[in-house]
Amino acid sequence: MNKQLDVITIGRAGVDLYGTQIGGRLEDMGSFDKYIGGSPTNMACGTARLGLRSALITRVGDEHMGRFIREELLRHGVNVAGVATDPERLTALVILGIRDEERFPLIFYRENCADMALCEDDIDEGFIASARSLVATGTHLSHPRTEAAVLKALALARRHGARTALDIDYRPNLWGVAGHGEGESRFVESAAVTAKLQSTLHLFDLIVGTEEEFHIAGGSTDTVAALRAVRAVSDATLVCKRGPMGAVAFTGEIPDSLDDGETGPGFPIEVFNVLGAGDGFMSGLLKGWLDGEDWPTALKYANACGAFAVSRHGCTPAYPSWEELQFFFRRGIVRPDLRNDTQLEQVHWATNRHGDWSTVRTFAFDHRSQLEEMEGYSPEKGGAFKALCLKAALRVADGQPGYGILCDDRIGRRALHAAAGTGLWIGRPTEDPGSRPLQLEPELGADYGELREWPRNQVVKCLCFCHPDDDAATWAAQEQTVLRLFTAARRNGLEFLLEVIPSKVGPVDETTTATIIQRFYDLGVYPDWWKLEPFRSEAAWAHAVEAIEHNDPHTRGIVVLGLDAPEAELAESFALAARQPLVKGFAVGRTIFGDAARAWLRGEIGDDEAVAQMAERFSRLCGIWDRARAGQHEEA
C-alpha cells in the first residue's frame, strides 16, 4: 500500500530553554538557548533529518511559542497537519541545564499545557491511515483525556496496517509520582504506573526503553524479570537501552542474560549532555526499522544518533542528518567530543540548515557610503528611503519564495527590523564600507560579541577587497578578521556570506577568484554563501565553482553581484552565470535604486513613485534572471 507518511509521532510538544552556561546550577544560569522539545517532537524532527517522511500529532498554544514550534517543525520538513492550535492553553516549557555529566537539572512547566489537552477529536482517521507507522510515548498515557487520544490513534493505525511503537519515556513527575523539583528523576516505583502501562503494551509492535523504564513497565527492578513481565503481555520486539553498553533487541523469549540479545556497534564518545539522547536513539532506530534493516544495523543507526545527542548542546539541534551519519560511519571517530570535531561539525551545520534557497533574487540596498554621498542625504532621509526599498522588494516578492534583500543596520535599521517574518532572505553587512585591509562596523564590538543580538534568520555578510598578489601583511590582517567573523557567526548560529572583489584591487584572469576562494577554505572559513562579481568567461566560472564544490559539497551556493552595471550588461552576465547550477541568483543594488535615490533625496519624486520605479526595475531583473535560468534548463 502506498503511504504518504513513514511515521507519525504523538504526544508532547514544548519549548526547551537550555542554559548556555555549562557546569553551574540552574539557579546560576544567566542566558538560555531556545529549542523545540518533547520526545515526540524531537523524534519527528530526528527522523525527518534522516530522510523519513515524518509528522506529529499534538497541540500547541495560540501564542509565540506555539508558532515557534509549528514554524520549526516546518523548517525541519515535518508534516504539521496533526498539530492543533489550542486557543485556551499555553505551550509547555522546560527550563534545563547541564551541571556535569551526571546531573541535568530541569523544570517542567506543563500545568494544563496545550499538548495535555489532546483529545480523541484531534485524531483524524484519514491522517492516521496515511502513515506506515505510529509512535507513542509514555507521558500521554498518564491522563485519561490524552490516553483516550493515543488509544484511538493506535486502534486506527492497526486497522490500517501501520506498525506501532512505544517509547516508554518514563518521567515520574509527569505521572504525578515525583515533585516539580524532581524533573531530573528517571525512576520512582509505582504500581499504578506499571498497571497502566501493562494495559497498553499489547498494542505495540516495538517497545523501547532504558533498563529503568522497563523496570516501571515490568514492575520489577530486576531487568531480566521486568523484560519477561513485558513479554508476558506483549509480542513486540523489545529494545533495551543500556547507556554506555549500547542497546539490545529481543524478538522472542527473554534469555537469562541481556548480553544474549541482538546488538549493534557502540561508539565511545564523551558524555556531555544525556538529555534528548533517547529521542535521538529512537530516531535512528525508527529509520532502520522502517527501512527494513536487520536489528544490528538498526541499532547501529540508533547508537550513533544517541552518540551525537550526548556530545552536543540541546536535543533536536544535536541530531544528525542522513548525510552526516554516513560521513560519520565512513570516517569514524577522530575525537570523542564530537561537538569539537571541526570537520564533522561542518557537515552537521551544512546538512541541517533550514529553508529552500535554490533561488535567491536579491535587492541589495545595504549601501552606506554611496547613499551618504548623494545630494540631500541625511540619516533620517536615508532610513526612510531604505524603508521604501523594502516596500519595493516586498511588492515584487508578493509573498512568493526565492526573494531576498541585503540591508544594513546603520542606516537601514527600520527596514531591517520590518523585514523580519516576511519570508525574505535577509543579508546584513558587517564591513566598514570600502575598508582595506578589512575593518568591521564598530557596532559588532571588539570581540564581535554583538552578533548574539542578531536574529537567527539574518545572514552575516562580509565584503573583502582582496587579490592573490596582496602582500603578506595585508593578507594576514584580512584573513584574521574574516576568520574571527566566521567563527563568531557559527558560534551564534548565523549563516555567513563572503563577498570577494579582486577586480577593484588588481588585474584578474580566469583563476584569480578561484585562488582566493581556495585560500579562505585553507584558512578554515566555510561560507554558507559566496557573493562573486560576474565573470566574462565560462572558464572563470568553472574554476570558481570547482574550488567551492571541492572544499564544501554542501554549500548554499553563489549569488552574483551587479557592480552598478547597466541592465543590458547585467542580462549578459546573468546568462553566463545561470549556466552554473551552483549560482542561485543575484544581488543587485544601485542598478535598481540609484536613480530613484538621487531623485527622491532631492525631492524630485515622492514615495510612491520611488517605490514603483524600484519595484519595476527589480521585477525586470528578476524576469531576466528567471529566463536565463529557464533557458539553461531547456538546454539541459
Side-chain angles (χ1 to χ4, degrees):
M1 185 181 298
N2 185 26
K3 301 272 191 173
Q4 295 177 325
L5 294 169
D6 294 311
V7 57
I8 296 174
T9 64
I10 181 171
R12 287 192 287 135
V15 174
D16 288 350
L17 298 178
Y18 245 95
T20 52
Q21 291 77 47
I22 308 301
R25 304 180 308 159
L26 199 55
E27 292 89 330
D28 302 321
M29 294 296 169
S31 58
F32 297 84
D33 284 335
K34 183 181 70 171
Y35 309 128
I36 53 175
S39 290
T41 304
N42 289 336
M43 287 187 284
C45 292
T47 51
R49 283 190 170 183
L50 294 174
L52 295 181
R53 299 166 299 171
S54 306
L56 173 68
I57 295 176
T58 191
R59 282 195 183 198
V60 297
D62 187 15
E63 24 74 0
H64 311 79
M65 296 299 102
R67 289 189 290 274
F68 166 68
I69 291 174
R70 186 181 295 275
E71 292 172 11
E72 190 73 353
L73 288 168
L74 289 170
R75 284 190 282 264
H76 276 85
V78 175
N79 183 306
V80 297
V83 179
T85 297
D86 190 318
E88 299 178 1
R89 296 170 181 85
L90 294 173
T91 303
L93 295 176
V94 182
I95 297 179
L96 59 168
I98 302 173
R99 181 70 183 269
D100 53 40
E101 65 180 45
E102 296 180 350
R103 291 177 293 174
F104 304 89
L106 70 160
I107 306 170
F108 290 98
Y109 289 82
R110 296 182 51 80
E111 187 68 30
N112 196 30
C113 66
D115 71 56
M116 289 303 290
L118 192 73
C119 66
E120 291 183 85
D121 291 343
D122 295 320
I123 308 303
D124 177 78
E125 182 170 2
F127 189 57
I128 299 294
S130 72
R132 295 170 56 208
S133 67
L134 177 75
V135 181
T137 59
T139 301
H140 270 55
L141 298 173
S142 67
H143 186 280
R145 178 172 54 212
T146 54
E147 179 191 26
V150 171
L151 293 178
K152 178 182 177 181
L154 287 167
L156 291 172
R158 296 174 75 84
R159 178 186 303 171
H160 291 281
R163 298 182 182 186
T164 57
L166 172 69
D167 186 336
I168 299 171
D169 185 39
Y170 181 44
R171 302 300 179 97
N173 66 336
L174 299 185
W175 281 84
V177 296
H180 291 306
E182 298 179 77
E184 191 177 353
S185 171
R186 295 305 180 98
F187 182 73
V188 174
E189 288 188 87
S190 169
V193 174
T194 297
K196 177 59 68 177
L197 288 173
Q198 291 206 350
S199 71
T200 65
L201 297 181
H202 65 285
L203 299 173
F204 297 99
D205 302 305
L206 172 66
I207 300 173
V208 181
T210 63
E211 291 192 55
E212 290 83 5
E213 287 169 338
F214 274 108
H215 293 171
I216 193 68
S220 171
T221 55
D222 178 280
T223 304
V224 170
L227 287 166
R228 286 173 172 167
V230 171
R231 172 61 74 230
V233 296
S234 175
D235 295 328
T237 295
L238 309 182
V239 174
C240 182
K241 296 179 287 186
R242 305 178 68 194
M245 292 184 289
V248 59
F250 301 99
T251 56
E253 292 184 6
I254 308 301
D256 293 336
S257 171
L258 297 183
D259 296 334
D260 292 334
E262 295 187 73
T263 62
F267 301 92
I269 50 84
E270 175 206 61
V271 175
F272 174 69
N273 170 31
V274 299
L275 299 172
D279 303 332
F281 177 96
M282 190 70 171
S283 297
L285 190 73
L286 290 169
K287 171 66 174 174
W289 186 48
L290 293 172
D291 281 358
E293 304 287 0
D294 58 24
W295 285 112
T297 301
L299 289 168
K300 175 185 175 181
Y301 295 171
N303 289 336
C305 290
F308 279 108
V310 300
S311 187
R312 289 171 172 159
H313 194 262
C315 298
T316 293
Y319 303 152
S321 66
W322 180 247
E323 295 89 343
E324 180 185 358
L325 195 62
Q326 299 311 302
F327 173 83
F328 180 66
F329 290 152
R330 287 194 305 269
R331 195 207 58 172
I333 298 172
V334 171
R335 53 184 303 167
D337 51 340
L338 301 183
R339 68 191 177 284
N340 293 317
D341 181 331
T342 302
Q343 191 178 21
L344 183 63
E345 284 301 290
Q346 168 59 23
V347 178
H348 179 68
W349 169 271
T351 58
N352 286 306
R353 286 175 298 220
H354 296 317
D356 174 12
W357 295 112
S358 51
T359 298
V360 189
R361 312 169 190 87
T362 307
F363 180 5
F365 51 90
D366 58 327
H367 305 68
R368 284 142 289 163
S369 58
Q370 297 94 332
L371 202 65
E372 291 165 336
E373 293 166 0
M374 290 183 182
E375 180 184 346
Y377 171 83
S378 68
E380 294 75 18
K381 282 188 174 182
F385 180 74
K386 293 203 172 190
L388 300 180
C389 292
L390 175 62
K391 285 186 177 181
L394 290 171
R395 180 176 297 182
V396 175
D398 193 27
Q400 304 170 88
Y403 292 85
I405 62 169
L406 283 170
C407 182
D408 63 292
D409 183 66
R410 176 150 59 86
I411 298 173
R413 178 171 297 178
R414 187 200 314 177
L416 187 67
H417 290 179
T422 61
L424 293 173
W425 179 93
I426 303 171
R428 177 172 166 182
T430 56
E431 74 278 352
D432 184 16
S435 61
R436 178 175 148 81
L438 174 65
Q439 300 291 322
L440 300 185
E441 288 271 26
E443 66 162 28
L444 294 176
D447 62 349
Y448 311 162
E450 297 310 305
L451 285 178
R452 69 180 183 274
E453 297 181 359
W454 286 34
R456 292 288 175 88
N457 67 330
Q458 292 181 1
V459 177
V460 178
K461 175 251 180 182
C462 179
L463 165 57
C464 184
F465 293 100
C466 52
H467 193 279
D469 296 337
D470 284 343
D471 60 71
T474 300
W475 265 114
Q478 303 214 118
E479 286 178 333
Q480 180 186 39
T481 301
V482 171
L483 180 58
R484 289 181 64 203
L485 181 63
F486 167 73
T487 303
R490 281 292 175 83
R491 185 170 60 244
N492 288 281
L494 299 163
E495 292 190 23
F496 182 69
L497 181 152
L498 182 57
E499 177 179 2
V500 294
I501 305 182
S503 68
K504 299 293 186 182
V505 181
V508 298
D509 60 26
E510 292 176 344
T511 64
T512 302
T513 299
T515 300
I516 294 170
I517 288 170
Q518 186 61 54
R519 182 155 187 160
F520 279 112
Y521 279 124
D522 290 343
L523 185 65
V525 173
Y526 286 77
D528 302 274
W529 296 94
W530 288 93
K531 188 179 177 201
L532 305 178
E533 55 189 327
F535 302 131
R536 297 185 179 277
S537 72
E538 287 196 43
W541 272 116
H543 286 303
V545 167
E546 196 281 331
I548 295 170
E549 292 184 331
H550 172 74
N551 288 280
D552 184 8
H554 302 295
T555 184
R556 285 283 203 184
I558 301 167
V559 290
V560 60
L561 55 95
L563 291 178
D564 199 20
E567 192 173 291
E569 190 175 319
L570 282 176
E572 185 178 343
S573 70
F574 283 4
L576 192 60
R579 296 177 186 176
Q580 301 292 335
L582 197 62
V583 180
K584 305 303 181 184
F586 63 85
V588 174
R590 284 170 289 172
T591 305
I592 298 171
F593 76 75
D595 291 340
R598 284 184 284 270
W600 187 85
L601 289 170
R602 290 195 297 261
E604 296 170 358
I605 61 173
D607 294 358
D608 292 342
E609 188 176 349
V611 171
Q613 183 185 120
M614 292 188 290
E616 194 275 334
R617 292 190 179 185
F618 183 31
S619 179
R620 210 159 58 226
L621 283 179
C622 292
I624 292 170
W625 172 261
D626 290 344
R627 287 190 293 275
R629 179 64 91 196
Q632 297 310 311
H633 287 167
E634 289 171 8
E635 289 181 16

